[in-house]
Amino acid sequence: MTGFGSAESGAFRVEIRSVNHRFMDISIKMPQNLLQHEMKMRGMLKERFFRGRFDVLVSASGEENIRVRVNRNAARAIHTALTALKEELSLPGEIGIETISRFSELIISEGVECDAESLYTAFDEAMSRLLRMRLKEGEAIALDIASRLEALKGLKDQLEMLCSDVANAARQRFTERLNAILGEGRYDRDRVLEEAAIMAERIDITEEITRISSHITQMKKILSNGDTMGRKMEFILQELNREVNTIASKADDFRVSSIAIEMKAEIEKLREQAQNIQ
């Protein structure tokens, strides 16, 4: 789910943005001297969230106490070398602090004093605000999923009511074709009945409808339980789609084919929404 959370504590400001992603993907940008805290921050995110892409930006105001020291041994060595070169080449001028200070090797940064408590306070609050935004979006998505599940159930009920009608129509077509081919001629009644049974089994969608009903019930249960549901729903929707595909392949009736197409469209919309939740 998408969301944004930011917070400040002490000298630190933390911003966290999240967008939809099938897995957990974290990107953290922070000052060099804070990198030792990155792994802990990743762990904190994984404790609160289960999937999505998270972009974290940590910034610090310029109030920290930056400590540096001069490498005195290097300074002496540089001065000695430059003095010897000056004498060897009879160069004019003096070798002063301005000359020596141009060598970057002389300045050694001892890092920045970091108030870790303030850093993690800001990070935790930013996560909480992000979570609240995601929960608000999640409530809207849950309502949409519930509505689409009801629509899917309605389509399933239509199929259920058509079952006997479709079977009767198939039986009538079979009888008409048989009479057209054989007329009043003699035929093997047992063989005809066997073929009729095979045909009836091939077009029967009762089992698929029963499984679809079970999958819809499971989806509703997962939705009502809350917690992590995205991946569970994706798996059930794969099974739902498989049952509808079977019905579509069996369909010898325009009405059944039309309903199967509508069901596939609803399932696809449900899959898109399932990818938006954790």
Side-chain angles (χ1 to χ4, degrees):
M1 289 181 287
T2 58
F4 174 78
S6 65
E8 295 184 17
S9 178
F12 301 103
R13 175 177 174 81
V14 177
E15 297 179 0
I16 309 176
R17 290 176 171 81
S18 73
V19 295
N20 300 328
H21 198 281
R22 290 190 63 188
F23 306 104
M24 190 76 168
D25 184 16
I26 302 172
S27 172
I28 300 179
K29 294 182 180 179
M30 61 175 67
Q32 188 76 18
N33 62 289
L34 300 178
L35 290 179
Q36 68 268 27
H37 301 285
E38 180 177 346
M39 293 306 298
K40 183 174 180 179
M41 289 179 175
R42 287 179 178 273
M44 292 170 69
L45 275 171
K46 290 177 181 178
E47 288 176 1
R48 301 281 287 273
F49 306 97
F50 296 94
R51 65 175 179 174
R53 173 170 176 80
F54 296 84
D55 290 303
V56 181
L57 176 63
V58 180
S59 56
S61 65
E63 299 176 0
E64 302 86 1
N65 181 22
I66 300 176
R67 300 196 308 272
V68 296
R69 65 182 177 86
V70 175
N71 188 334
R72 298 179 181 276
N73 290 332
R76 293 188 186 95
I78 290 170
H79 184 269
T80 299
L82 291 178
T83 300
L85 182 63
K86 175 179 177 296
E87 293 175 354
E88 181 181 344
L89 300 179
S90 302
L91 297 175
E94 295 294 328
I95 300 174
I97 188 65
E98 296 85 358
T99 303
I100 297 177
S101 63
R102 293 172 187 169
F103 290 82
S104 59
E105 297 88 344
L106 295 181
I107 308 300
I108 299 175
S109 174
E110 302 229 318
V112 178
E113 287 186 349
C114 171
D115 181 1
E117 183 177 350
S118 294
L119 174 62
Y120 291 123
T121 296
F123 189 75
D124 190 66
E125 180 59 27
M127 285 196 301
S128 297
R129 293 176 182 178
L130 171 64
L131 182 60
R132 286 196 290 271
M133 183 177 289
R134 282 166 60 103
L135 287 175
K136 187 175 181 180
E137 181 185 357
E139 290 172 359
I141 292 174
L143 289 174
D144 184 69
I145 289 175
S147 174
R148 295 193 183 282
L149 286 174
E150 284 303 313
L152 198 59
K153 181 180 180 298
L155 292 169
K156 185 269 300 180
D157 291 343
Q158 291 180 41
L159 280 179
E160 210 162 11
M161 289 186 291
L162 280 175
C163 277
S164 59
D165 194 16
V166 169
N168 290 333
R171 189 179 302 111
Q172 182 178 350
R173 288 195 301 272
F174 179 78
T175 303
E176 291 173 353
R177 291 171 186 168
L178 186 64
N179 290 334
I181 294 171
L182 300 177
E184 297 299 325
R186 298 178 63 184
Y187 57 87
D188 185 341
R189 184 175 181 275
D190 291 337
R191 177 61 177 166
V192 170
L193 290 175
E194 183 181 346
E195 290 296 327
I198 293 172
M199 180 198 70
E201 184 178 354
R202 188 165 56 243
I203 66 172
D204 182 33
I205 57 174
T206 305
E207 289 186 11
E208 286 77 17
I209 290 175
T210 300
R211 285 193 288 268
I212 287 172
S213 181
S214 174
H215 292 328
I216 291 173
T217 300
Q218 284 182 286
M219 288 281 288
K220 289 181 177 180
K221 184 177 180 180
I222 291 172
L223 193 63
S224 64
N225 287 343
D227 199 14
T228 57
M229 62 181 74
R231 290 180 182 173
K232 296 177 184 177
M233 284 188 170
E234 285 181 19
F235 174 76
I236 295 175
L237 288 168
Q238 286 178 358
E239 297 302 308
L240 266 171
N241 197 55
R242 183 178 292 112
E243 301 299 342
V244 174
N245 281 337
T246 301
I247 289 174
S249 67
K250 286 184 173 182
D252 193 22
D253 186 283
F254 174 75
R255 294 167 297 175
V256 174
S257 298
S258 298
I259 293 173
I261 291 171
E262 288 186 57
M263 293 180 83
K264 285 176 69 68
E266 287 296 335
I267 290 171
E268 185 58 34
K269 291 172 184 174
L270 282 166
R271 289 174 72 172
E272 290 174 3
Q273 291 290 45
Q275 290 176 359
N276 292 335
I277 53 181
Q278 67 177 17

